[in-house]
């Protein structure tokens, strides 16, 4: 097992924001209808053993009737679309909040073998809607010393089928969705991606902190930006005044909502998510180089 860290966190932060030397160069997104119920093939015993240790049980009927699309299928599909638009991916970082219902195959291991060039693959999970922002930071750190033609893939995944009880079940995804970005390193003198991640942020504190972050983005970039906000982001009147337009993601997605919406925009964009249960506030700002 390998552990990766970002060694420059203190050095690249100024104020509330740190600048990541990357820009998005291409994107792909897909919603999957499901491929039918999953074959048991030992999965029933695996799931039973997994949840019993936590004093829970899982819904066998859901497993029998669920329209399942595995993360392996979702990830390989959007990566194939992405690699038709960029020359190749040297690294891929997966980000998700809900686990893969089909645990018989690892999406990360599959991509190492299936994607040309055998990219290095990382996964970020157990951080709710913050996971894609952490994945973005890790992807950027691995591009700092990369060549100008290097590309890193950021994959954000939602899967609707979770056959056991979870906290905050009302926020489980309504669809199986995958969103992919190809990130490229910036060139000298080019603006990168701005990122703010804060933990232990109460809902009241998030309402006050978000306008501060947006104001710092506006002051540093002079951008007129679209704000793409997740379902639980406290967008106050002060925050609205700082944005050219506010695009609130509709209920349904979990991690993928803002990332799918941002991929449809061509100008300066700010992405914001707040997880009231974990008390994480995350904001990213970029001007895509499509």
């Amino acid at each position: 097992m390998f552990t990766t860290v970002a060694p420059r966190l203190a050095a690249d932060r100024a104020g509330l924001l740190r600048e990541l030397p990357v820009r998005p160069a291409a994107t792909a997104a897909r919603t999957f209808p499901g491929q039918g119920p999953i074959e048991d093939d030992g999965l029933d015993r695996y799931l039973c053993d997994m949840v019993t240790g936590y004093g829970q049980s899982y819904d066998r009927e859901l497993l029998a009737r669920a329209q399942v699309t595995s993360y392996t299928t979702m990830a390989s599909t959007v990566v194939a679309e992405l690699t038709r638009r960029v020359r190749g991916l040297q690294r891929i970082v997966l980000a998700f909040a809900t686990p893969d219902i089909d645990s018989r195959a690892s999406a990360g291991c599959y991509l190492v073998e299936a994607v040309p060039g055998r990219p290095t693959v990382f996964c970020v999970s157990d951080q709710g809607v913050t996971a894609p922002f952490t994945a973005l930071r890790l992807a950027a750190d691995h591009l700092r010393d990369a060549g100008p033609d290097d590309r890193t893939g950021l994959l954000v995944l939602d899967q609707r089928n979770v056959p056991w009880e979870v906290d905050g079940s009302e926020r489980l995804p309504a669809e199986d969705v995958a969103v992919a970005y190809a990130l490229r390193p910036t060139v000298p003198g080019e603006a990168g991606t701005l990122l703010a991640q804060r933990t232990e942020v109460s809902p009241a504190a998030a309402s006050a902190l978000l306008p501060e972050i947006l104001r710092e983005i506006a002051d540093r970039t002079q951008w007129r930006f679209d704000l793409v906000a997740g379902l639980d982001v406290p967008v106050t009147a002060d925050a609205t005044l700082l944005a050219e337009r506010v695009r609130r993601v509709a209920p349904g997605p979990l991690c993928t909502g803002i990332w799918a919406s941002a991929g449809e925009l061509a100008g300066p964009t700010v992405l914001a998510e707040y997880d009231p249960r974990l008390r994480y506030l995350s904001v990213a700002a970029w001007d895509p180089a499509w």
Side-chain angles (χ1 to χ4, degrees), residues 19-27 82 86 89 136 139-141 143-144 148 150-154 181-194 223 259 265-269 285-290:
E19 184 167 355
L20 309 178
V22 298
R23 292 181 72 183
T27 185
L82 200 63
V86 296
L89 299 174
L136 171 64
D141 198 65
L143 274 171
R144 287 179 186 273
D150 275 15
R151 298 292 182 268
T152 291
L154 169 63
Y181 285 92
L183 305 173
R184 68 162 176 81
T186 55
V187 299
E190 185 178 35
T193 295
L194 298 176
W223 286 346
W259 301 89
L265 303 177
T269 305
W286 63 32
D287 187 6
W290 307 136

Side-chain angles (χ1 to χ4, degrees), residues 7 24 46 68 74 87 138 162 167 170-172 195-196 224-225 229 252 256 264 277 282 287-288:
Y46 171 82
V68 173
M74 296 164 63
R87 187 171 302 174
L138 291 173
V162 180
D167 294 335
E170 71 281 356
R171 286 290 281 119
L172 288 176
L195 177 68
R224 300 179 65 84
F225 54 79
T256 59
E264 299 172 354
R277 185 172 64 88
S282 300
D287 187 6

Side-chain angles (χ1 to χ4, degrees), residues 7-94:
R8 304 175 179 87
L9 294 186
D12 63 7
R13 185 185 310 183
L16 295 168
L17 300 163
R18 61 172 55 96
E19 184 167 355
L20 309 178
V22 298
R23 292 181 72 183
T27 185
R30 178 76 67 88
T31 298
F32 298 82
Q35 298 177 324
I38 195 170
E39 294 182 10
D40 186 346
D41 192 26
L43 188 60
D44 178 88
R45 179 176 178 180
Y46 171 82
L47 291 175
C48 183
D49 289 346
M50 186 175 68
V51 301
T52 298
Y54 296 92
Q56 295 185 349
S57 61
Y58 78 95
D59 188 344
R60 285 182 169 87
E61 292 185 2
L62 186 151
L63 191 68
R65 68 175 186 272
Q67 294 293 311
V68 173
T69 308
S70 70
Y71 278 160
T72 299
T73 297
M74 296 164 63
S76 59
T77 300
V78 292
V79 167
E81 292 182 17
L82 200 63
T83 52
R84 286 195 288 269
R85 302 171 191 174
V86 296
R87 187 171 302 174
L89 299 174
Q90 285 69 43
R91 297 157 214 87
I92 299 174
V93 188
L94 306 178

Side-chain angles (χ1 to χ4, degrees), residues 181-264:
Y181 285 92
L183 305 173
R184 68 162 176 81
T186 55
V187 299
E190 185 178 35
T193 295
L194 298 176
L195 177 68
Q197 287 184 284
R198 291 292 181 272
T199 61
E200 297 297 328
V201 180
S202 68
S207 297
L209 183 56
L210 179 61
E212 279 190 64
I213 295 172
L214 296 181
R215 190 171 294 108
E216 187 170 321
I217 292 170
D219 290 343
R220 286 181 61 164
T221 65
Q222 303 301 306
W223 286 346
R224 300 179 65 84
F225 54 79
D226 285 3
L227 171 62
V228 183
L231 189 65
D232 294 313
V233 175
V235 181
T236 62
D238 288 343
T240 300
L241 289 173
L242 291 163
E244 182 77 3
R245 283 174 297 274
V246 177
R247 301 170 184 262
R248 173 76 75 173
V249 173
L254 184 57
C255 283
T256 59
I258 64 169
W259 301 89
S261 296
E264 299 172 354

